[in-house]
Amino acid sequence: MDASAASGAAVSLLASPHLTGLTSFCRALPNGALHACSPPPSCKSLWKLGSTDALQVNVGPAPGAEGSGCVLVVSVIKQLAQVHNSTVQASMERLCSYLPEKLFLKATCYLVVRTFGPDIIKLLSADMNADVVCHTLEFCHQGPGQALCHLYPLPKEAWKVTLEKARQIVKKSPTLKHPRGGADICVLPFLAKICQKIKRTITNSVPFRDVDSDNYSVSPTLRGYHWRGRDCNDSDEMAYPGRRPDRWDEHRDSNCNGIWGVDPKDGIPYEKKFCEGSEPRGIVLLGDSAGAHFHIPPEWITASQMSLKSFFNLPTALTDELDWPQLSGATGFLNATSGIKENSIYLHLRKRNRCNHRDYQNISKNGASSQNLETFIERGIDPVPKMTTPEQFYSKVMETLKYLNARLPKGSHVILYGLPDGTFLWDHLHSRYHPLGQLNGDVTYGQLYAFLSCLQVSPCHGWMTANETLRTLTSQRAAQLSNTLKKIATSQKFTSFRLYYVDFDFQEIIRKWQKRGGQPWQLLEPVDGFHPNEVALLLLADNLWDKVRLQWPQVLGKENPFNAQIEQVFGDQGGH
């Protein structure tokens, strides 16, 4: 998006991250990048800024991720043996055989099996559950004064007795000498440079493969065109999606929208004929894992559904950080895998004006907070006393609005979007069986929430808890913060933009889904039990689109009367 291509007003929206974070409808940014999250003075934008992160507090790195991973893997191994009536050894080999060879996934699996397999076989053969196995092998720890974290119901015998029996089974095992955490393969000399580049890719949200350094790529993953429009010429830094067309693209497609050349009938460049004055818009999203569409397919952990086909997309998912932005509500460009008719905001924009083709950027990050335009803040456990107060929230929002006021052009609009009431998470999921518990009826979402909270890796402790008082207090705080936004919208004036407020009503999305015969729990990711899934994200995006289209249609630009002609001449415009 090139700043020189834009002029006029912008519209900004401060929204919940479950409406996917900080979104900008704008025409252009320098070199196709969102620098410091700030649009240039001439940028036409719709910004969405997440705010439920105000209910989170930074507690540093989560210490329990290693333990939760061990429990998950051991659970899958045990269930594979049960489903196929096989030995534990055979189930481990089966699991490894399912994994792709890409990224050394299959080889790594066999290495882990050779290292820890003998102990896992002994412990599972002694009828120990995954919690006991992982504590015995020291992937899980219970420090002095700490609660015992367990996913499955506790053994009938006392925990200490069971754990001691398990330790006696493997007491002579050499694997107990192997390090369980802190090992970094990037210290290997031959991997150091590539690790450094991958780290830069994720940290800076720029493509790993980008020959011309214009921040756009011809590769899909590692922050490539799954995240932002595909580069149409990776050897030319002056050709990238969203830039101002070079001489109306008479001789080349400089803005990668697939429209270029001259109409032989009248000598007018197609870009000028079809796009000039059409008010083209691009979309830039700065959000968290919901905006990136974090998703773990349930067939990855459901033994009864596993096959050679289950993990075919695992390498792609890993190199996209377990995110699926190509299917997200904001910047998704692929047809929905769920089969629903709703589209992403980007596809709505493209349908409205085909000059918008490939003009999208998703700069979301897992674990990021969009409270602040300039910094991402790690999220953690959120006891009520440490939640953002209305006074702190007011200060933070005003700081952000002043930041926008200094950068957005006059005549812009800012929409403050309220926080959701996340009590629907517990209400609709806590008694249902998690994919890991469906085979034997032994793990509910309530148990999962308690396990994640105990390990300090819960994405939302205030709502994902059996503590009704805490859930109520969290909802009350969310309502207070939404009221703070209303207060700001009705009392504050800015020189560059007008200010509006819109309630976040997830219940409206639930009602729409129920009218189609769906159930509320079907709108949430089945593996983590927290993130909105693809269906929910598209319903939310469609709902937002309708509200903006009906109330503020100028935000979206005009409907291009030449769309049919563009399709006739350029077909799919080079695809995505």
Side-chain angles (χ1 to χ4, degrees):
M1 292 180 168
D2 182 357
S4 61
S7 61
V11 175
S12 301
L13 172 60
L14 289 164
S16 157
H18 293 294
L19 263 178
T20 59
L22 172 67
T23 304
S24 166
F25 288 103
C26 63
R27 182 59 195 133
L29 286 173
N31 298 324
L34 184 65
H35 295 294
C37 315
S38 57
S42 60
C43 187
K44 297 181 179 179
S45 306
L46 168 62
W47 290 94
K48 284 174 26 187
L49 178 60
S51 51
T52 56
D53 300 311
L55 302 176
Q56 308 291 341
V57 61
N58 181 12
V59 295
E66 184 181 279
S68 60
C70 174
V71 171
L72 186 152
V73 171
V74 173
S75 297
V76 169
I77 291 170
K78 185 174 183 179
Q79 291 184 18
L80 276 172
Q82 181 181 349
V83 167
H84 296 280
N85 194 25
S86 69
T87 64
V88 175
Q89 176 69 39
S91 75
M92 289 190 292
E93 293 176 355
R94 182 186 298 273
L95 177 59
C96 291
S97 73
Y98 289 159
L99 297 179
E101 294 184 358
K102 288 183 179 180
L103 305 181
F104 304 103
L105 293 171
K106 189 187 295 288
T108 301
C109 182
Y110 282 121
L111 177 61
V112 172
V113 167
R114 284 198 299 271
T115 304
F116 297 103
D119 290 341
I120 294 174
I121 292 171
K122 292 176 184 177
L123 292 168
L124 291 182
S125 298
D127 204 27
M128 302 295 179
N129 68 24
D131 293 316
V132 178
V133 171
C134 293
H135 275 272
T136 303
L137 298 182
E138 299 179 0
F139 286 101
C140 295
H141 307 275
Q142 182 186 11
Q146 292 182 340
L148 172 63
C149 301
H150 60 95
L151 179 61
Y152 294 91
L154 289 172
K156 294 180 179 179
E157 282 190 304
W159 172 259
K160 290 184 177 180
V161 174
T162 302
L163 187 59
E164 182 57 32
K165 286 183 178 180
R167 285 172 175 167
Q168 288 299 315
I169 293 173
V170 297
K171 66 178 181 179
K172 296 182 180 180
S173 172
T175 61
L176 293 177
K177 299 178 181 179
H178 288 275
R180 296 299 189 268
D184 186 359
I185 63 170
C186 290
V187 300
L188 300 175
F190 63 92
L191 289 178
K193 287 187 177 181
I194 192 170
C195 283
Q196 186 177 17
K197 190 172 181 181
I198 291 174
K199 182 178 180 181
R200 174 181 173 272
T201 290
I202 296 173
T203 301
N204 298 333
S205 300
V206 294
F208 178 79
R209 181 183 178 186
D210 181 15
V211 176
D212 57 11
S213 301
D214 62 2
N215 291 325
Y216 289 86
S217 177
V218 295
S219 298
T221 61
L222 286 172
R223 295 285 165 167
Y225 66 76
H226 281 174
W227 299 84
R228 53 180 76 194
R230 179 162 60 89
D231 201 339
C232 52
N233 188 342
D234 206 21
S235 61
D236 183 356
E237 65 178 359
M238 298 307 295
Y240 51 83
R243 65 151 288 169
R244 181 174 184 167
D246 179 24
R247 298 182 181 180
W248 293 111
D249 285 356
E250 290 179 295
H251 305 293
R252 62 167 185 154
D253 186 11
S254 66
N255 62 6
C256 298
N257 69 356
I259 302 171
W260 66 286
V262 176
D263 189 338
K265 296 178 182 179
D266 53 24
I268 299 175
Y270 285 114
E271 180 82 34
K272 181 178 179 67
K273 174 179 285 190
F274 295 149
C275 299
E276 185 180 27
S278 70
E279 299 181 356
R281 296 288 191 271
I283 180 171
V284 178
L285 169 70
L286 177 60
D288 61 4
S289 52
H293 183 22
F294 182 85
H295 167 65
I296 298 175
E299 59 267 25
W300 288 2
I301 66 167
T302 308
S304 60
Q305 298 178 16
M306 281 187 189
S307 68
L308 287 170
K309 296 180 180 179
S310 299
F311 297 96
F312 80 95
N313 52 12
L314 179 58
T316 297
L318 289 176
T319 49
D320 268 338
E321 305 156 49
L322 291 180
D323 295 321
W324 308 70
Q326 69 275 27
L327 293 166
S328 67
T331 62
F333 58 85
L334 297 180
N335 292 328
T337 61
S338 57
I340 68 171
K341 62 180 179 63
E342 281 73 14
N343 286 320
S344 69
I345 294 174
Y346 162 70
L347 287 179
H348 274 299
L349 284 170
R350 184 182 183 275
K351 182 179 180 180
R352 190 178 183 88
N353 184 353
R354 293 186 71 115
C355 297
N356 296 331
H357 183 64
R358 292 192 193 171
D359 201 350
Y360 62 89
Q361 297 184 52
N362 193 318
I363 313 180
S364 302
K365 293 183 180 180
N366 295 337
S369 161
S370 45
Q371 283 189 60
N372 192 307
L373 284 173
E374 301 168 275
T375 345
F376 279 113
I377 302 172
E378 284 295 318
R379 299 191 308 168
I381 293 180
D382 49 352
V384 172
K386 294 185 179 180
M387 288 182 189
T388 302
T389 65
E391 294 75 21
Q392 292 169 330
F393 191 54
Y394 181 93
S395 176
K396 177 61 64 176
V397 172
M398 288 301 299
E399 176 186 328
T400 300
L401 292 174
K402 290 175 183 177
Y403 181 86
L404 286 174
N405 192 47
R407 287 158 176 80
L408 293 177
K410 290 185 177 181
S412 298
H413 306 274
V414 173
I415 306 167
L416 302 179
Y417 217 101
L419 282 74
D421 180 356
T423 53
F424 60 83
L425 293 171
W426 182 264
D427 292 344
H428 296 298
L429 282 182
H430 79 277
S431 61
R432 297 189 62 82
Y433 288 118
H434 183 266
L436 281 178
Q438 289 172 3
L439 183 63
N440 298 308
D442 52 359
V443 178
T444 64
Y445 282 96
Q447 290 169 249
L448 173 71
Y449 293 165
F451 182 55
L452 296 179
S453 293
C454 184
L455 293 174
Q456 298 185 25
V457 294
S458 174
C460 189
H461 178 65
W463 279 316
M464 297 167 65
T465 175
N467 187 330
E468 184 177 2
T469 301
L470 181 55
R471 297 198 308 271
T472 300
L473 290 172
T474 303
S475 293
Q476 289 174 353
R477 180 58 55 86
Q480 290 171 354
L481 299 185
S482 293
N483 287 331
T484 299
L485 294 178
K486 287 182 183 179
K487 176 183 175 182
I488 292 173
T490 56
S491 65
Q492 296 298 317
K493 305 294 181 183
F494 295 87
T495 57
S496 294
F497 53 78
R498 291 185 61 186
L499 202 54
Y500 308 88
Y501 173 84
V502 176
D503 279 318
F504 181 97
D505 188 2
F506 195 76
Q507 293 301 321
E508 181 180 353
I509 302 301
I510 291 177
R511 287 191 294 271
K512 286 184 177 181
W513 183 239
Q514 288 176 321
K515 286 182 179 179
R516 301 185 189 187
Q519 297 296 320
W521 58 267
Q522 294 172 321
L523 298 173
L524 299 169
E525 281 291 333
V527 173
D528 63 53
F530 169 69
H531 289 94
N533 63 14
E534 180 188 290
V535 171
L537 290 174
L538 291 176
L539 290 175
L540 286 165
D542 205 64
N543 195 52
L544 173 63
W545 176 268
D546 285 343
K547 287 182 178 179
V548 175
R549 179 177 57 84
L550 293 173
Q551 297 182 50
W552 311 292
Q554 69 276 11
V555 170
L556 308 175
K558 301 175 183 177
E559 289 193 45
N560 193 332
F562 298 107
N563 281 335
Q565 291 176 252
I566 293 173
E567 185 174 9
Q568 183 179 9
V569 177
F570 296 102
D572 68 355
Q573 298 166 254
H576 290 93

